[in-house]
């Protein structure tokens, strides 16, 4: 298999490992990036691992993914619950989209239960900690191999 998976991370995830570790764990974004690269490599896939606190930047990366990526894995952070613009951008992407949340958003505040991104996502993983990213890579590899 060949191709690049875009792994996109939204606001506050740059503080992973420091921010509310009782909810988000002790691993850092750098740890998650290294694990994603290694998991994807086992399938012959590459990863572009990105994080931004800015909605427009996430949208620009999704637009880049249209030309450059076989799949998108996205943890939009709080934009999950607010951003029609990110949903619209994802709707322009033709490959598989996986939505990942480190925490179990259904076990938390009511406002975290609604996701605009889920209207586009082919699968949603929540509450599996940072392992959710690796599970999403497994799923994407399966979906990409089925279309090749
Ligand atoms: C991360 C965030 O920053 C929150 O805003 C979401 C998500 C949940 C997560 O669990 O990874 O509500």
């Amino acid at each position: 298999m060949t191709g690049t998976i875009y792994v996109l991370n939204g606001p506050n995830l740059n503080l992973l490992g420091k921010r509310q570790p009782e909810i988000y764990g002790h691993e850092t974004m750098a740890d998650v990036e290294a694990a994603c690269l290694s998991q994807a490599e086992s399938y012959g896939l590459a990863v572009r691992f990105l994080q931004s606190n800015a909605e427009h930047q996430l949208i620009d990366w999704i637009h880049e993914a249209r030309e450059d990526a076989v799949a998108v894995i996205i943890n939009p952070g709080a934009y999950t619950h607010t951003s029609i613009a990110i949903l619209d951008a994802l709707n322009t992407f033709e490959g598989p989209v996986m939505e990942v949340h480190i925490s179990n958003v259904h076990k938390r505040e009511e406002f975290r239960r609604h996701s605009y991104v889920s209207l586009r996502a082919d699968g949603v993983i929540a509450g599996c900690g940072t392992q959710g990213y690796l599970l999403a890579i497994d799923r994407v590899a399966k979906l990409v191999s089925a279309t090749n």
Side-chain angles (χ1 to χ4, degrees):
M1 231 185 303
T2 56
T4 301
I5 305 168
Y6 273 36
V7 181
L8 303 180
N9 295 280
N12 299 304
L13 287 162
N14 52 309
L15 295 179
L16 197 66
K18 297 180 193 147
R19 162 206 191 203
Q20 295 179 281
E22 69 286 1
I23 295 176
Y24 298 105
H26 291 277
E27 277 187 295
T28 65
M29 277 273 102
D31 296 330
V32 179
E33 178 174 12
C36 284
L37 261 62
S38 151
Q39 186 82 351
E41 198 179 15
S42 72
Y43 294 108
L45 294 167
V47 162
R48 190 160 178 229
F49 192 93
L50 300 160
Q51 187 278 329
S52 178
N53 294 325
E55 190 175 23
H56 72 86
Q57 179 63 81
L58 294 163
I59 292 164
D60 287 348
W61 285 331
I62 294 165
H63 293 173
E64 280 178 36
R66 283 164 48 77
E67 308 299 326
D68 197 32
V70 292
V72 170
I73 295 171
I74 184 163
N75 181 349
Y79 289 139
T80 306
H81 320 296
T82 62
S83 181
I84 297 167
I86 288 176
L87 168 64
D88 285 350
L90 288 169
N91 276 330
T92 76
F93 181 77
E94 288 180 5
V97 173
M98 289 294 293
E99 176 181 351
V100 172
H101 304 289
I102 296 166
S103 66
N104 182 354
V105 284
H106 300 286
K107 209 176 170 185
R108 300 180 65 191
E109 301 95 328
E110 180 68 35
F111 64 81
R112 293 187 204 276
R113 291 191 191 160
H114 177 261
S115 166
Y116 284 104
V117 170
S118 291
L119 290 166
R120 167 61 181 90
D122 298 297
V124 183
I125 297 169
C128 296
T130 55
Q131 188 190 358
Y133 290 84
L134 306 184
L135 299 172
I137 288 172
D138 290 343
R139 181 64 185 157
V140 151
K142 180 147 186 131
L143 293 173
V144 169
S145 73
T147 57
N148 282 345

